[in-house]
Amino acid sequence: MFAKRIPGSALIAISTILAGLSPQAAGAADLPVVPAPVFVAAGVNWDGFYAGIHGGLAVGSTTWSNPTGYFAADRGLAVPPDVAANSAQSGLIGGLQVGYNRQFGAFVFGFEADASFGPLNGYAACGAVVGLAPAEAAFPVDAFMRGSKDPCHTSIGALASATGRFGYAFGRTLIFVKGGVAYSSEQYDVINPDNFPANPAQASADRFGWTVGVGLEYALGGNWSAKGEYDYYDFGTQTIGFTVPGYPTFNSFSIRRDQHLAKFGLNYRFADTGGGADISAPAPAFVNDITGEFGGRVGFSNGRYQDNLFGFGSTAERVSRLTWPNQTGVSLESFARADHISGLFAKGYFGGVDLLGSHMNDEDFPPGTNPYSNTLSKTERGRDFYASADLGYTFLRGNTWRIGGFLGFHYYSQIMNSYGCTQVGGGDICEPGATAGNALLLSENERWRAARVGLGGDVMLTDRLKWSAEAVWLPYMTFQGTDNHWLRSDINPLPQSGHGFNGFQAESVLSYALTERIDVGVGARYWLFQAQHGFTQFPDAAMWQATTFTSMRYGVFAQASYKFGDVAAPPVIAKY
């Protein structure tokens, strides 16, 4: 699994580093004076063929509806038909693009073809009838009141598009819109732990649809440029047929699919970019008052999530605890910062983590469960997404250092899946042979939103070596979660809510200036989110149950960045 993640994550790091090694991208204000890259007076020429690589994040949606055959039958157990359901397919992507531009003054026309690779995964509770108890429940229940227990899984192996592009170029910047046709290679699985636990019902499809997007490309110097863009793919609704073991009649779902992609990449333009009659318009005057940097990061991190469920209305008695420890993963991230000559600055980042797999513990405590139970399940196919945005002011500065404060917002989400279970605590839950090892047992989808209050700065340790650090207090955060117990249709899904105080984030980066504009570096970070005041209400319960939620993530990363702007700022040397 690790090998599958690395190529997509490495693409963005390679692309940013290659930009720094370009012979046209020269030198930094804090190094000996080196002539800056030379562009045509009014702008940059975007004419000609180009090719490049990209990395990024993808979040999609799959809606399952209109079941037939096995999925609509009672299967001899008085089970109601499967219900419409929706799931997200998300993860890191990496890929390639090729294209051609033709420039007329400030206007640029062209076409582009690209391909991105995942894998992207997601599960839908299409076999659950929410709020209806399973037949094996401890309390009396009509056999009809149960779901089929069929988690429906979608996996996207590749996405591609062929589009036309229209843009406007000013200075070193090209802003563009694009639109055209889209392609997706998809695999579908439905696993029923009762009827076919070992051999899931499977289908595959090559889906075609349409796409639109918007983006920005920035000339780094010479023939290199960096870009960021957002694309939307729509594949409509298609009836997908499945082969179901033991059920020869036609079995199908109507499946609707769409996808959102955020991509950051690097292009190499093969034509002469420094001449020609068709060149970009001048950059707006206010741009001359702004400096900053943008870049990419590849990292490795570890995380832990835990929730504690208590008795009705209070925290006096703990009922159960779910712990997802050692959730390691490979991360891919883009970041940027812009500083105005006045001292105001804006900064932010967004990224994702493909989780490599670990384990999950599900504990149940006496007297509700007696004896004490502790089950162990393997975890895989998880992923994280996160983003921060800050506004601040540099209030202290010297010749080689600066300190600033900022306010901002942070979003963090994590999806984790566990499979099979083994009893390790002495209880009778998950006895040997009771649950197939490949059966999806539990999923947790956590979503945090937090206010940020931070202090940060940087200092030049030598003429090329810089240390940056920031500490952030999260005074208030909200939590929204979804707990899927896939073998219990009465609590699939089970919503969770909460809020909390006093979270924390810290980050430190040591970077080295390869040239005036290109930096490379290494860093580390730590995040803590906590909701001390939470609740969960089971569908068959008259009262809510108190719950606490805690999530943390820490890790290291490597980064490469490009500095933009040519302002001779007051006595500030570092430009992070």
Side-chain angles (χ1 to χ4, degrees):
M1 182 177 296
F2 185 87
K4 294 179 181 177
R5 280 13 183 223
I6 292 296
S9 302
L11 282 170
I12 192 170
I14 294 171
S15 66
T16 313
I17 292 171
L18 284 175
L21 299 179
S22 171
Q24 300 295 329
D30 44 330
L31 303 179
V33 177
V34 178
V38 177
F39 296 92
V40 179
V44 177
N45 193 321
W46 296 90
D47 268 341
F49 288 97
Y50 64 89
I53 58 178
H54 65 263
L57 312 175
V59 178
S61 175
T62 299
T63 301
W64 303 67
S65 61
N66 300 322
T68 69
Y70 160 82
F71 306 109
D74 64 14
R75 301 184 276 293
L77 299 174
V79 178
D82 290 347
V83 296
N86 183 272
S87 67
Q89 290 69 55
S90 53
L92 303 183
I93 58 170
L96 308 169
Q97 68 270 352
V98 296
Y100 177 81
N101 290 323
R102 189 73 177 95
Q103 185 167 356
F104 301 91
F107 297 99
V108 179
F109 299 85
F111 64 86
E112 182 175 277
D114 64 15
S116 304
F117 304 93
L120 313 175
N121 293 279
Y123 287 94
C126 59
V129 183
V130 179
L132 301 184
E136 62 270 23
F139 46 87
V141 64
D142 190 308
F144 183 82
M145 297 178 65
R146 59 181 297 190
S148 67
K149 304 180 183 178
D150 295 342
C152 296
H153 171 235
T154 304
S155 177
I156 292 89
L159 294 162
S161 69
T163 59
R165 296 205 316 172
F166 171 71
Y168 181 81
F170 56 92
R172 302 182 190 179
T173 303
L174 170 67
I175 57 174
F176 62 86
V177 294
K178 59 188 293 189
V181 296
Y183 165 82
S184 178
S185 174
E186 304 182 4
Q187 175 73 40
Y188 313 100
D189 305 276
V190 182
I191 301 175
N192 184 284
D194 292 331
N195 294 326
F196 39 91
N199 299 304
Q202 294 182 328
S204 61
D206 294 316
R207 306 282 296 260
F208 293 90
W210 55 270
T211 178
V212 293
V214 60
L216 180 150
E217 194 163 354
Y218 186 85
L220 302 176
N223 292 58
W224 295 98
S225 61
K227 73 166 186 174
E229 69 177 72
Y230 161 79
D231 299 322
Y232 173 75
Y233 291 8
D234 191 301
F235 300 102
T237 302
Q238 183 175 335
T239 298
I240 305 295
F242 290 80
T243 300
V244 179
Y247 292 84
T249 57
F250 184 67
N251 310 281
S252 69
F253 271 104
S254 294
I255 300 179
R256 171 169 173 74
R257 279 272 300 118
D258 64 5
Q259 199 80 39
H260 302 266
L261 285 79
K263 296 186 289 191
F264 181 84
L266 184 78
N267 284 327
Y268 182 84
R269 303 191 303 281
F270 296 100
D272 178 7
T273 59
D278 300 317
I279 56 178
S280 305
F286 72 87
V287 173
N288 295 326
D289 295 330
I290 298 174
T291 62
E293 70 172 336
F294 59 86
R297 293 171 175 150
V298 176
F300 182 81
S301 62
N302 196 354
R304 175 185 177 91
Y305 168 82
Q306 185 175 89
D307 64 53
N308 288 277
L309 178 68
F310 299 91
F312 292 108
S314 75
T315 58
E317 179 183 294
R318 184 165 54 192
V319 175
S320 69
R321 177 170 59 199
L322 292 177
T323 305
W324 305 72
N326 299 319
Q327 298 299 310
T328 60
V330 176
S331 62
L332 178 64
E333 178 181 318
S334 295
F335 66 96
R337 172 166 174 152
D339 288 270
H340 190 264
I341 195 171
S342 66
L344 293 173
F345 65 84
K347 64 185 181 71
Y349 57 79
F350 73 93
V353 182
D354 269 0
L355 301 179
L356 302 178
S358 180
H359 67 276
M360 183 273 294
N361 287 93
D362 183 357
E363 300 172 89
D364 296 293
F365 299 91
T369 299
N370 199 2
Y372 162 77
S373 173
N374 182 5
T375 62
L376 183 70
S377 302
K378 66 178 181 179
T379 64
E380 57 184 29
R381 293 178 176 174
R383 64 271 185 191
D384 296 1
F385 291 99
Y386 56 87
S388 279
D390 302 313
L391 291 174
Y393 179 74
T394 300
F395 53 83
L396 289 175
R397 66 181 70 199
N399 288 331
T400 60
W401 60 273
R402 65 179 175 177
I403 299 175
F406 54 87
L407 301 175
F409 173 81
H410 187 90
Y411 174 81
Y412 176 65
S413 70
Q414 182 169 232
I415 300 174
M416 299 170 292
N417 301 300
S418 70
Y419 302 81
C421 61
T422 302
Q423 179 62 240
V424 295
D428 56 4
I429 300 174
C430 287
E431 295 177 335
T435 305
N438 68 333
L440 179 61
L441 190 69
L442 292 176
S443 296
E444 177 68 37
N445 185 350
E446 51 171 315
R447 300 174 296 280
W448 298 85
R449 296 169 177 85
R452 284 167 49 95
V453 180
L455 184 68
D458 47 52
V459 58
M460 297 302 302
L461 303 177
T462 71
D463 61 349
R464 290 179 179 266
L465 191 64
K466 179 177 68 177
W467 177 55
S468 306
E470 67 177 35
V472 180
W473 175 44
L474 308 180
Y476 180 77
M477 64 211 78
T478 63
F479 171 86
Q480 293 291 323
T482 304
D483 179 347
N484 293 94
H485 276 59
W486 293 96
L487 303 188
R488 291 189 57 183
S489 57
D490 57 328
I491 54 172
N492 186 24
L494 181 66
Q496 305 163 318
S497 298
H499 65 274
F501 309 93
N502 295 325
F504 183 73
Q505 296 178 313
E507 183 174 297
S508 180
V509 179
L510 189 65
S511 59
Y512 181 82
L514 291 179
T515 74
E516 182 183 48
R517 295 192 180 275
I518 301 298
D519 284 9
V520 295
V522 294
R525 62 164 52 127
Y526 175 85
W527 297 342
L528 172 65
F529 307 95
Q530 48 190 2
Q532 301 95 333
H533 307 281
F535 69 91
T536 299
Q537 185 162 9
F538 286 75
D540 59 345
M543 292 182 61
W544 58 269
Q545 289 180 252
T547 315
T548 61
F549 308 96
T550 304
S551 187
M552 67 176 67
R553 181 152 291 275
Y554 55 92
V556 296
F557 54 84
Q559 70 175 44
S561 63
Y562 179 87
K563 298 176 183 177
F564 62 87
D566 299 303
V567 174
V572 178
I573 291 178
K575 292 193 176 180
Y576 178 72

